[in-house]
Amino acid sequence: MTAHRHVIRVRYAESDQMGFAHHSTFIVWMEEARIEWLRSIGHSYRDLETQGVLMPVIEVQITYKKPFRFDDQVELTTEIAALGRSRVQFSTVFRMVGNETVHAEGRVVIAAVGRDGRPQRMPTGVLSTLPASP
Amino acid sequence: MTAHRHVIRVRYAESDQMGFAHHSTFIVWMEEARIEWLRSIGHSYRDLETQGVLMPVIEVQITYKKPFRFDDQVELTTEIAALGRSRVQFSTVFRMVGNETVHAEGRVVIAAVGRDGRPQRMPTGVLSTLPASP
Amino acid sequence: MTAHRHVIRVRYAESDQMGFAHHSTFIVWMEEARIEWLRSIGHSYRDLETQGVLMPVIEVQITYKKPFRFDDQVELTTEIAALGRSRVQFSTVFRMVGNETVHAEGRVVIAAVGRDGRPQRMPTGVLSTLPASP
Amino acid sequence: MTAHRHVIRVRYAESDQMGFAHHSTFIVWMEEARIEWLRSIGHSYRDLETQGVLMPVIEVQITYKKPFRFDDQVELTTEIAALGRSRVQFSTVFRMVGNETVHAEGRVVIAAVGRDGRPQRMPTGVLSTLPASP
């Protein structure tokens, strides 16, 4: 299981008057990276929702060390760790493309639930990519 | 039929690196003002959607004259004009609270449609507040 | 030192296709609540920035238990704890107005820095409101 | 002078409870497309701002015909028309990638101004790409 890389470019609308990408946007980028990770292993999050599997975020935690600015190319390196049958935790490191310096680190826990809000088993294909899976 | 006043305060996250409220946020404020206008005449947009009446925006136009900044209190004065049974046009003037200078002017056209996307008659209560209604 | 209450109403633009307020918006609401808390103790964050005191967020953590929906009135109850001369931690509990059920809990750490990015002493007025201050 | 193509994918956070990309996000995408157009002709909007040339939006107009949904790949085809020495108008057509159907049409007017807010001549490189330029 290798880490997944996703690159975004900071939008003008995401900058704030401090001249930095607003801290709330890191969450939106992490979500985009998760969805691209899913696609890279053959899953469409859109299709999962259509099939009745929702994956709401139940916890998020981010440490900000260095800011990003408008037009910066941000590389998100995402790794996952199995937490159980209905939860997955993702860890993301934020860097500038082509630079090793860590700008931020994030962690997100998602749950698999049905339309009724009840916990569901993670889709098999997702589980099978996880390091701790049998 | 009098104009409806709604006041918002510019959020930090809405500022951009020019130091101004980003031009896309004016659309979000106009939407909030429309929903508060509906509430002021006794309608909940949430309930209308639950009842199957969606009101998507089909046209928007904004002229920006003077910027707003973080923490500014923006007064949106909204008036409506009947366009027909399934469309309503709203005009909004943006000012600073307590100041006559016009910072921006916006215009939004919404359509009433069902969940199937087909045009619907505007809810009676909405129509009856419109100047052109009988 | 009592907790600070701030109420926001979920905007339509903040809803997502799950029908919930998107998890990134909780961060924007917490920021609005912090700024209103500052105002309630006689400080304008806008003025602090003009005077050269920036307060970037260096950590954020949120646990989501129950979602909010469009048009919900969300009450943010915010308390602060001194961390030191140049850092303050805020804890926020998210509830529906008029209901004790906790929907989410958040924690934000901000740093006081100058335009050069160097740590600064928190403004005196802010420090004096903190429980651990002399 | 040919049209410029830019493709974005609708983010989950950009969806709303109607299941559509919120109408305010079209403005953010148009901005991203303009900045990529500038890059394609050898200009960095970030550098222009650093050099003191701001390009605020002074008018925007969008007609929405068909919605986009989360995960859709949206192709923005942007053309420009010279309006004068300190203003440029951009026209954008929104389609799904690989499909001719027009989902929306937008128009944005930007002005070149200095940090003092006074109109400035458009940067030479930008003007020289315009059809009406000598």
Side-chain angles (χ1 to χ4, degrees), chain D residues 104-123:
Chain D
E105 291 178 305
R107 199 170 49 78
V108 170
V109 182
I110 61 164
V113 298
R115 291 244 165 247
D116 54 3
R118 295 239 183 115
Q120 286 218 341
R121 202 174 182 279
M122 272 293 153

Side-chain angles (χ1 to χ4, degrees), chain A residues 8-9 11-14 28-29 31-32 35-36 39 44-46 49 54 69-72 96, chain D residues 8-9 11-14 28-29 31-32 35-36 39 44-46 49 54 69-72:
Chain A
I8 63 95
R9 198 185 273 277
R11 292 175 170 179
Y12 198 88
E14 292 170 342
V28 175
W29 303 337
E31 182 172 61
E32 185 172 304
I35 288 161
E36 293 307 321
R39 201 185 321 277
S44 151
Y45 181 62
R46 172 153 65 175
E49 279 210 354
L54 306 182
R69 293 170 178 278
F70 158 62
D71 221 36
D72 280 347
M96 296 276 272
Chain D
I8 63 96
R9 197 185 276 276
R11 294 174 170 179
Y12 198 88
E14 292 169 343
V28 175
W29 302 337
E31 183 173 60
E32 185 173 303
I35 287 162
E36 293 306 321
R39 200 185 323 278
S44 151
Y45 181 62
R46 172 151 68 174
E49 277 209 356
L54 306 181
R69 293 170 178 278
F70 160 61
D71 221 38
D72 281 348

Side-chain angles (χ1 to χ4, degrees), chain C:
Chain C
M1 169 65 208
T2 53
H4 178 259
R5 282 179 68 255
H6 182 62
V7 174
I8 63 96
R9 196 185 276 275
V10 179
R11 293 173 171 181
Y12 197 89
E14 292 170 343
S15 72
D16 64 21
Q17 71 175 40
M18 245 184 247
F20 304 151
H22 192 262
H23 60 287
S24 62
T25 58
F26 288 61
I27 290 194
V28 174
W29 302 338
M30 278 197 284
E31 183 173 60
E32 184 172 304
R34 277 198 307 284
I35 287 162
E36 293 307 321
W37 164 76
L38 266 178
R39 201 186 322 278
S40 76
I41 62 166
H43 283 275
S44 153
Y45 181 62
R46 171 151 68 176
D47 292 351
L48 288 176
E49 277 210 355
T50 307
Q51 292 156 26
V53 183
L54 306 181
M55 293 194 188
V57 169
I58 59 173
E59 194 182 339
V60 70
Q61 191 266 331
I62 307 176
T63 309
Y64 306 87
K65 299 167 200 290
K66 276 175 68 77
F68 292 110
R69 294 172 177 278
F70 159 62
D71 221 39
D72 280 347
Q73 284 187 288
V74 180
E75 180 177 293
L76 291 86
T77 309
T78 301
E79 288 187 310
I80 52 169
L83 289 187
R85 301 212 147 190
S86 60
R87 291 190 180 190
V88 176
Q89 177 175 309
F90 293 81
S91 299
T92 299
V93 179
F94 299 76
R95 294 185 183 86
M96 296 277 272
V97 167
N99 193 307
E100 284 305 299
T101 309
V102 174
H103 284 237
E105 291 179 305
R107 199 171 50 78
V108 170
V109 182
I110 61 163
V113 297
R115 291 243 164 246
D116 55 3
R118 296 238 183 115
Q120 287 218 341
R121 205 175 179 280
M122 274 290 153
T124 317
V126 174
L127 275 180
S128 66
T129 63
L130 298 182
S133 303

Side-chain angles (χ1 to χ4, degrees), chain D residues 24-55:
Chain D
S24 62
T25 59
F26 289 60
I27 290 193
V28 175
W29 302 337
M30 278 198 285
E31 183 173 60
E32 185 173 303
R34 275 198 309 283
I35 287 162
E36 293 306 321
W37 165 76
L38 264 178
R39 200 185 323 278
S40 76
I41 61 166
H43 282 274
S44 151
Y45 181 62
R46 172 151 68 174
D47 292 349
L48 289 176
E49 277 209 356
T50 306
Q51 292 156 23
V53 183
L54 306 181
M55 293 193 190

